[in-house]
Amino acid sequence: MKNSFKPIAYLLITFAFSACSENKKEQKAEIEIPDSGPVFDEVYRPQYHFTPAENWMNDPNGMVYLDGEYHLFYQHNPDSNVWGPMHWGHAVSTDMLHWKHLPIALYPDSLGTIFSGSAVIDKGNTSGLGKGGVNPMVAIFTYHHPEKSQTQGIAYSNDKGRTWTKYENNPVLENPGIPDFRDPKVSWYDHGDGTGKWIMTLAVKDKISFYSSPNLIDWKHESDFNPSWASYGGVWECPDLFPLIDQEGHEKWVLLVSINPGGPNGGSATQYFTGNFDGNSFNADGKEVKWIDYGADNYAGVTWSDIPKADGRRLFLGWMSNWQYANIVPTTVWRSAMTLPRKLELYHFDGKNLLASRPVQEIKTLYDNSEKIEAKSHLLRDELFHLDLKKKEESLASIKLSNELGEEVILSVEEDKIVFDRSKSGKVKFNKEFQAIHEAPLNGLEIYDIDIYSDKSSLEIFFNEGELVLTEIIFPNAPLLKLDLEGIENNGEIHYLNSTW
Ligand code: FRU
C-alpha cells in the first residue's frame, strides 16, 4: 500500500468537512457514553481490553500521563464501524485497564481529518500555549487532506485534556511534496546540561525523518533514517523513539516503525531498531530486521509520554487488528480493540539487543480465582483467563483450545519456530488472509515459559516473559474452553480474570 490510502476515505471526507468545520474549541456538550450495559455484552466485545463504546477505532494516539490519569486518544470514525473521516476519540484510566470514555477530543476541520500523532505535557510552557501558570497538554497530529496532502498540526488543552483548542496558525509543519508524511511522535530530548529540545519522529513514505523544535511550533529538519537492510514491504507509519536502559545499565535508544503491508505474517506489523540517538540522528546497532510481535494483530503501537520517573516504565499499547481485514471483522456495535498495555524492556540474546514486551503487572488486579492445571486436558470455566504454563525441557510442545463445534486454535513450539493456527477457529471466511498459518522463528531461543491472555476475541501469547510475542484475534462461534496440552509441565496455573466493565 505504498503512497496510498484507504479508498473509503475519499468518499466520506467531504461529509466530514461540511459537518465539522469548527477550528476553535472542539468540545461538544458533555455526553454520556455508557461504560457498561447491553452495548458491552456484544458477543465478541473484549471484557478487559480497550474498545470504543461504538463504531470504528484504529491506532492509539496521544498517549500521555498526567496527574494520575493515563490518557488514550485513538483514531476514530464516530459515524460508522468502518474506517472513514478520522477524529481523535478519547478515554482516561488510572490503571490502563478500567477506562472512562470521554467526548471526542479533535474533529476534522478545513485543513483535513485528524490522523495519528502524539501528546506531551509541555513542561515549562515552551509553546506559550499554557494559560494561568498551567503546563499545557499539547497534541501533535497529522492533518490528512485529499488535495492539500498531509501536514502536521497542534492543539492544546489547559484543563487536563477535557477541552481542546487548535493552534491558530496550523499547520506547524508543511508538506514537502511527499504524500505519505505523517504520524508525529514528539518527545523532549535532554542535552544532559539542563537544556533540551523537542524531537519529532515522523514517518515519511519509507523513511523516518527527525525534526527538532524549541517550542513545538517551529520545526527544523535534523536527519533521515532508512538503512538499506530494513523492511520496506509497505509504507512506514506510526514511529516512536525512546531510550531504555539495557541489562548492563547502558542507555540504548529504540525506534519503532510500523509497516503496512510487509509484516512477517502478512499485512500490518511493527519493526524496531535498537541503537543510538544523539539529538540529531539515529544509528542502528545491527543490520537485522526485528519485529515487536509475530502475531497478525498488533499494529501502530506506541508508548506513553510523561510517565513519572518514579514509575520509570516504558508502557506500550498497540491496535489489535490488521489492515488486511480490520474493516470486515465480524463485530457489530464496535470495531477493533487495543492490545493489553505492555511494559517494554531490552534483553540481550545471541549478541543482539532485543525488545521484550510484558503485560503490565496491573493485570493481576483483575485476577478472580485460580486453578492448577495438572492433567493434559482441562475444561476451562470461562474465556477470560491468563494461562501460565512451563514448557518441558528438550521437548516440543502444543497447546490446543477448542469447543464442542470442532473449532480450535493450535499453538505449537517446534524445533526452530512457533506455529499458530487459527484456520479453524470459527468465523474465518470473511477474509482469506485471516486463515493463514502464522510462524515466528526462534533463532536459537529456548522456550521455557508460556503465558496466554484470552479475552472474548483475542489471544495474546508471551513466550519467556515477553521475549517473543504473538497477538491474534479470533471469532469462535462458542467459547474455546477445552484445553489440550502436550510437552507442558503439569504445574500450570489458570487465573480467571474479571471483566473491567
Ligand atoms: C496507521 C495509519 C496511520 C494514519 C492512520 C489513519 O494504521 O495508516 O499512518 O495516520 O492510520 O487512520
Side-chain angles (χ1 to χ4, degrees):
M1 215 170 25
K2 286 206 167 194
N3 285 342
S4 66
F5 232 85
K6 293 96 204 178
I8 198 153
Y10 300 106
L11 298 175
L12 296 171
I13 244 154
T14 343
F15 162 74
F17 287 130
S18 50
C20 317
S21 54
E22 243 233 87
N23 197 21
K24 285 274 178 230
K25 281 262 186 219
E26 303 252 305
Q27 188 76 2
K28 291 267 153 101
E30 188 75 30
I31 41 165
E32 267 308 305
I33 303 168
D35 279 347
S36 60
V39 171
F40 284 85
D41 296 338
E42 187 261 7
V43 60
Y44 295 122
R45 168 83 76 174
Q47 295 296 303
Y48 63 95
H49 288 79
F50 180 78
T51 48
E54 287 183 320
N55 287 321
W56 170 266
M57 173 178 83
N58 56 292
D59 317 349
N61 294 152
M63 287 152 60
V64 63
Y65 179 90
L66 179 64
D67 294 346
E69 284 183 330
Y70 295 89
H71 289 259
L72 170 61
F73 301 85
Y74 54 91
Q75 288 287 278
H76 184 41
N77 181 0
D79 299 311
S80 161
N81 65 1
V82 293
W83 192 82
M86 285 294 111
H87 299 56
W88 273 27
H90 188 194
V92 285
S93 170
T94 54
D95 63 1
M96 297 174 283
L97 296 168
H98 297 82
W99 291 97
K100 182 173 157 47
H101 290 282
L102 293 178
I104 288 171
L106 297 175
Y107 285 80
D109 63 48
S110 61
L111 294 176
T113 55
I114 315 295
F115 272 19
S116 288
S118 49
V120 292
I121 305 306
D122 179 12
K123 295 189 183 117
N125 197 14
T126 62
S127 62
L129 298 170
K131 297 284 170 291
V134 169
N135 289 329
M137 184 183 283
V138 179
I140 310 97
F141 55 88
T142 297
Y143 271 119
H144 174 76
H145 192 288
E147 284 112 48
K148 295 182 197 158
S149 199
Q150 297 180 342
T151 56
Q152 318 315 319
I154 63 174
Y156 56 97
S157 167
N158 281 309
D159 58 0
K160 302 189 180 186
R162 269 34 183 205
T163 59
W164 287 87
T165 307
K166 300 231 185 79
Y167 174 58
E168 56 187 358
N169 295 322
N170 274 338
V172 293
L173 185 58
E174 292 281 2
N175 188 298
I178 304 170
D180 295 300
F181 185 71
R182 60 176 175 271
D183 308 339
K185 181 71 162 70
V186 171
S187 58
W188 181 253
Y189 181 83
D190 206 323
H191 293 301
D193 62 357
T195 67
K197 60 185 176 183
W198 296 105
I199 294 290
M200 179 194 290
T201 306
L202 195 70
V204 183
K205 192 180 166 193
D206 53 5
K207 67 179 182 210
I208 295 301
S209 291
F210 297 104
Y211 289 81
S212 69
S213 170
N215 56 8
L216 296 165
I217 292 168
D218 304 300
W219 293 96
K220 169 174 152 249
H221 180 252
E222 292 280 348
S223 66
D224 293 332
F225 177 76
N226 57 343
S228 58
W229 46 268
S231 183
Y232 294 100
V235 72
W236 285 20
E237 303 184 311
C238 298
D240 196 358
L241 174 75
F242 50 86
L244 281 179
I245 303 299
D246 71 11
Q247 284 171 328
E248 281 84 47
H250 302 129
E251 184 178 84
K252 276 265 159 216
W253 285 77
V254 178
L255 177 63
L256 306 182
V257 178
S258 281
I259 158 174
N260 179 61
N265 281 301
S268 321
T270 302
Q271 61 181 320
Y272 69 89
F273 306 86
T274 54
N276 182 41
F277 182 74
D278 60 5
N280 164 264
S281 57
F282 181 87
N283 284 303
D285 60 9
K287 292 192 175 183
E288 198 181 344
V289 178
K290 303 182 257 196
W291 302 98
I292 202 166
D293 195 313
Y294 274 87
D297 301 301
N298 177 3
Y299 191 59
V302 286
T303 64
W304 258 284
S305 297
D306 294 277
I307 296 296
K309 280 216 170 65
D311 179 321
R313 291 177 295 174
R314 183 51 63 172
L315 297 166
F316 169 97
L317 200 66
W319 172 45
M320 201 151 52
S321 198
N322 189 312
W323 281 116
Q324 286 181 320
Y325 41 71
N327 275 288
I328 51 167
V329 294
T331 65
T332 52
V333 184
W334 59 283
R335 226 184 227 131
S336 296
M338 296 300 179
T339 65
L340 270 181
R342 301 169 184 187
K343 174 186 171 195
L344 300 183
E345 276 181 326
L346 285 172
Y347 70 102
H348 208 70
F349 178 71
D350 201 18
K352 288 173 270 188
N353 290 308
L354 300 170
L355 202 53
S357 324
R358 320 186 198 282
V360 295
Q361 89 246 354
E362 282 86 338
I363 188 84
K364 295 201 171 129
T365 63
L366 301 182
Y367 281 3
D368 186 4
N369 41 45
S370 306
E371 274 169 13
K372 293 257 178 274
I373 309 237
E374 285 161 341
K376 282 173 123 190
S377 291
H378 195 93
L379 200 55
L380 305 171
R381 280 190 279 117
D382 189 85
E383 78 247 74
L384 307 191
F385 61 78
H386 164 206
L387 191 55
D388 182 358
L389 302 173
K390 306 277 172 274
K391 191 178 88 58
K392 283 191 178 149
E393 253 181 70
E394 321 236 328
S395 158
L396 306 182
S398 100
I399 299 165
K400 181 161 96 172
L401 283 162
S402 59
N403 64 18
E404 63 282 9
L405 305 172
E407 298 169 349
E408 61 184 30
V409 295
I410 304 174
L411 175 71
S412 318
V413 183
E414 299 190 355
E415 197 82 24
D416 54 359
K417 63 179 182 225
I418 304 287
V419 180
F420 180 82
D421 183 350
R422 64 177 174 187
S423 62
K424 298 190 207 72
S425 59
K427 296 192 179 72
V428 296
K429 296 218 168 98
F430 55 89
N431 174 266
K432 206 165 100 305
E433 310 300 341
F434 190 84
Q435 302 167 50
I437 291 175
H438 302 151
E439 293 189 356
L442 286 173
N443 296 327
L445 192 70
E446 182 70 39
I447 299 297
Y448 59 88
D449 186 68
I450 308 173
D451 289 279
I452 302 180
Y453 290 80
S454 157
D455 201 337
K456 292 274 175 184
S457 49
S458 62
L459 294 170
E460 287 163 279
I461 307 158
F462 299 87
F463 296 94
N464 296 0
E465 290 155 31
E467 291 181 348
L468 187 80
V469 183
L470 270 84
T471 302
E472 307 275 359
I473 54 175
I474 48 167
F475 303 96
N477 289 302
L480 301 172
L481 298 181
K482 184 166 185 302
L483 175 67
D484 288 291
L485 303 171
E486 290 294 337
I488 299 292
E489 299 283 0
N490 57 4
N491 60 356
E493 253 193 300
I494 180 150
H495 306 286
Y496 292 102
L497 297 169
N498 288 316
S499 167
T500 54
W501 303 116

